[in-house]
Amino acid sequence: MKNFILTTLFISALFANDKTHTYSSSEDCKACHTQIYSEFNSSMHNNSTPQKDQIHNAIWAQHPKNLKFKQYSCGKCHTPASDNLDDMKEKGKRGGVPKADNPTHQAGISCAYCHRIKDIKLHKKSNTNIMTNEANNFFGTRQKHIKSPYHGIITEGNEHIKNGNVCIGCHSHKKNKHGLNVCSTNIDNEMNGANCVSCHMPKVIGSISNMNKTKNHTFHGFAGAHTHSDMLTQYVDISMLREINDFIINIDNRTSHSLLLHPLRTAVLKVSILRDGKIIKLKNEIFVRVIGHNGKPAMPWVASVTLKNTMIQANEKRSIKYDFKIQKGDKVNVILGWYLVNPKAIKELKLENDKLANEFIEFKNQNFDF
Ligand code: HEC
Ligand code: HEC
Ligand code: HEC
Ligand code: HEC
Ligand code: HEC
């Protein structure tokens, strides 16, 4: 361990005044924060780079900023710990794209990056994170903590990491050059005490570190549309109302933002009835937000308007009516889930062979017996 402490101290001294910051590797945290590290390792924050996320890569591959300028402006949020972040974001610095063999390009939204966010600058197009200059001094939120032999713990000015604001530098909104908000998280919504951190980083069993055994720690797998969505099912309720000649399925989204956020997503409600040993499938209900231009669906950099929005909104209770008469003995099965990539866009994005992009991810599966 002594070795890596010396190296990081040396590197941080070298780059102390550099505009592009240098961050300790997430691997450095593994020895002490073993469980937190392993959760983080499987999360999309660790896998946000073009090399590790094939869906991100598919959009980047066709993006004019790639084809014309090799300008990886995505780095601001997708590879923020890159050692040449400023070059990446600048037009014409060819070669500024993430490289497979540069660990800082593959670090994703790393441990040290997130724990060094000091402030958030609000902008119209997208917000910007303001970082601290001290390499191994991390913001923490615990009232009481022991000392860490590897790093300092800052508890003053930690309100952003405490109240979920630390997420909004990247997650609040992203407008394209036509002024269209490609991806919005409705951050102004109040949610009786819940925030990004309490929902997406709940307390789970297991120790904070190997040096201080605690019963619980904050989950770092960032439950979301790719992984651990089972941890979020409690925020969406499904109920059924039987009427004389038909029935209604209610979806109650008790979340401060739309059920899904990225415009690539497509949510689906699948309803079927088991009657006399036979399955009767009813028509799928689709929830999407389609962005486009001149009346046709278009890529995020071309789109200028939202063409259609049937996505279930923040705090919305959606009712879907089925013209189907339920009989005694019927068993109704209701499944709510999604495709990460709208099946209609798979071919154009050349994702036919990507398993994850084509997979139906089941979120909730409920039965109602009559
Ligand atoms: C302001 C921050 C920000 C910038 C800049 C940004 N993104 Fe993202 N991106 C995000 C966030 C946050 C998510 C997660 C959203 C979600 O899951 O709903 C995301 C998710 C994505 C996804 C979905 C990935 C998946 O696995 O489903 C794609 C594709 C994507 N971004 C492409 C890009 C490309 C290409 C660029 C650069 C041209 C870019 N983004 C720039 C913040 C950003
Ligand atoms: C040599 C062991 C060790 C290493 C390596 C280590 N930590 Fe820690 N860390 C600790 C200890 C011990 C604490 C205090 C835990 C407590 O009091 O419960 C701590 C606490 C923290 C806290 C503060 C939690 C809070 O809310 O107060 C953060 C944040 C943190 N570590 C981040 C990191 C990151 C990021 C890395 C890797 C870059 C890392 N640590 C590497 C031992 C270590
Ligand atoms: C430096 C920018 C940045 C910050 C800060 C950030 N995120 Fe993210 N987050 C991203 C990007 C980029 C993605 C999409 C990665 C991808 O799919 O390639 C993402 C994805 C996610 C996802 C989706 C995971 C999934 O399985 O689909 C969740 C949930 C999430 N972030 C929650 C949070 C929370 C909670 C915070 C604050 C504690 C936070 N993020 C802070 C950039 C950031
Ligand atoms: C009340 C709980 C709750 C709060 C508060 C909340 N979320 Fe979510 N979030 C959810 C649920 C439920 C989903 C949908 C299920 C899933 O994606 O697994 C979700 C999904 C997401 C996704 C994935 C969407 C996609 O299209 O890929 C991201 C990213 C995300 N939330 C970020 C955030 C951020 C950032 C905040 C704070 C501004 C936040 N959430 C606040 C419950 C919450
Ligand atoms: C996207 C931002 C983000 C990333 C990435 C991230 N953290 Fe955290 N971390 C947080 C937030 C926010 C909290 C405070 C949660 C709370 O107050 O409940 C936290 C809490 C902690 C704590 C205290 C845990 C506890 O139970 O109180 C430690 C230790 C820690 N992080 C270490 C790490 C390590 C190590 C990594 C990488 C393996 C990492 N973090 C990656 C945002 C992040």
Side-chain angles (χ1 to χ4, degrees):
M1 189 151 317
K2 229 179 187 166
N3 258 345
F4 76 66
I5 296 175
L6 283 177
T7 0
T8 38
L9 281 180
F10 175 68
I11 293 173
S12 57
L14 205 68
F15 287 93
N17 296 316
D18 209 296
K19 232 176 114 200
T20 296
H21 294 84
T22 313
Y23 301 94
S24 303
S25 155
S26 299
E27 295 289 324
D28 291 359
C29 323
K30 190 177 175 180
C32 300
H33 300 291
T34 313
Q35 200 163 343
I36 289 179
Y37 173 85
S38 94
E39 289 159 2
F40 165 80
N41 202 34
S42 67
S43 78
M44 286 317 290
H45 283 155
N46 185 38
N47 292 307
S48 58
T49 76
Q51 283 82 5
K52 296 201 247 178
D53 178 355
Q54 289 316 306
I55 300 174
H56 174 54
N57 189 49
I59 296 276
W60 171 240
Q62 301 193 16
H63 205 288
K65 281 187 177 164
N66 184 4
L67 303 176
K68 284 191 201 151
F69 314 114
K70 297 285 173 219
Q71 176 199 9
Y72 189 65
S73 59
C74 329
K76 178 180 170 183
C77 305
H78 283 263
T79 65
S82 295
D83 58 3
N84 61 338
L85 185 63
D86 288 336
D87 279 359
M88 275 186 177
K89 292 190 295 187
E90 232 171 273
K91 245 186 208 174
K93 295 253 180 185
R94 287 191 163 263
V97 298
K99 295 188 176 66
D101 60 359
N102 179 334
T104 71
H105 292 181
Q106 297 304 324
I109 297 100
S110 67
C111 310
Y113 180 86
C114 211
H115 280 281
R116 280 176 56 187
I117 298 175
K118 172 169 77 173
D119 210 351
I120 319 283
K121 234 194 192 151
L122 305 179
H123 287 292
K124 258 201 196 136
K125 273 187 114 174
S126 71
N127 295 339
T128 301
N129 295 319
I130 311 298
M131 311 305 295
T132 62
N133 286 320
E134 296 144 35
N136 277 343
N137 238 350
F138 302 129
F139 286 107
T141 60
R142 292 168 80 90
Q143 299 268 325
K144 274 201 214 142
H145 54 77
I146 61 166
K147 276 209 167 119
S148 159
Y150 175 67
H151 57 74
I153 299 174
I154 323 169
T155 47
E156 222 155 86
N158 66 351
E159 65 273 7
H160 294 302
I161 203 154
K162 224 174 183 168
N163 62 19
N165 246 5
V166 71
C167 319
I168 69 164
C170 304
H171 278 275
S172 148
H173 60 282
K174 184 170 168 272
K175 282 193 182 165
N176 68 12
K177 66 174 183 202
H178 312 291
L180 176 72
N181 200 343
V182 174
C183 199
S184 165
T185 313
N186 313 73
I187 55 156
D188 295 330
N189 273 358
E190 283 291 329
M191 262 309 289
N192 43 33
N195 62 36
C196 318
V197 174
S198 66
C199 287
H200 289 280
M201 303 180 74
K203 297 278 179 240
V204 292
I205 290 173
S207 190
I208 175 173
S209 80
N210 302 336
M211 296 184 68
N212 186 14
K213 295 279 176 215
T214 58
K215 218 166 126 200
N216 297 314
H217 68 279
T218 303
F219 182 66
H220 273 70
F222 301 94
H226 293 69
T227 57
H228 305 291
S229 63
D230 54 304
M231 295 174 88
L232 293 165
T233 52
Q234 60 181 301
Y235 300 108
V236 182
D237 288 331
I238 298 181
S239 59
M240 179 173 167
L241 180 67
R242 179 187 177 187
E243 299 184 313
I244 296 172
N245 290 312
D246 49 50
F247 68 90
I248 292 166
I249 301 287
N250 291 308
I251 302 174
D252 188 3
N253 179 28
R254 291 180 295 100
T255 307
S256 59
H257 57 68
S258 310
L259 180 64
L260 295 171
L261 303 165
H262 201 275
L264 273 177
R265 316 280 186 244
T266 300
V268 186
L269 183 71
K270 300 180 176 183
V271 178
S272 63
I273 292 106
L274 179 65
R275 177 182 290 174
D276 304 329
K278 282 201 190 104
I279 292 168
I280 307 162
K281 280 195 77 173
L282 303 185
K283 193 171 165 281
N284 286 345
E285 189 72 24
I286 310 281
F287 311 106
V288 281
R289 172 171 173 253
V290 182
I291 55 172
H293 187 64
N294 287 339
K296 277 196 238 130
M299 289 294 181
W301 58 91
V302 182
S304 54
V305 287
T306 298
L307 295 174
K308 170 175 155 184
N309 194 352
T310 56
M311 186 52 74
I312 300 166
Q313 297 300 303
N315 291 317
E316 186 191 345
K317 191 167 183 174
R318 183 76 60 93
S319 300
I320 300 114
K321 191 170 164 184
Y322 293 84
D323 284 320
F324 186 94
K325 193 173 172 170
I326 298 292
Q327 294 176 3
K328 197 168 181 335
D330 282 352
K331 199 184 184 83
V332 181
N333 176 243
V334 181
I335 297 173
L336 178 64
W338 53 76
Y339 294 98
L340 290 170
V341 178
N342 189 329
K344 289 182 181 159
I346 286 281
K347 231 178 133 183
E348 193 177 349
L349 290 172
K350 302 192 170 67
L351 282 167
E352 295 97 324
N353 297 321
D354 187 76
K355 190 172 166 275
L356 187 61
N358 288 278
E359 193 181 341
F360 178 70
I361 297 175
E362 203 173 284
F363 180 54
K364 294 206 96 163
N365 186 332
Q366 264 171 259
N367 286 315
F368 300 90
D369 295 339
F370 293 91

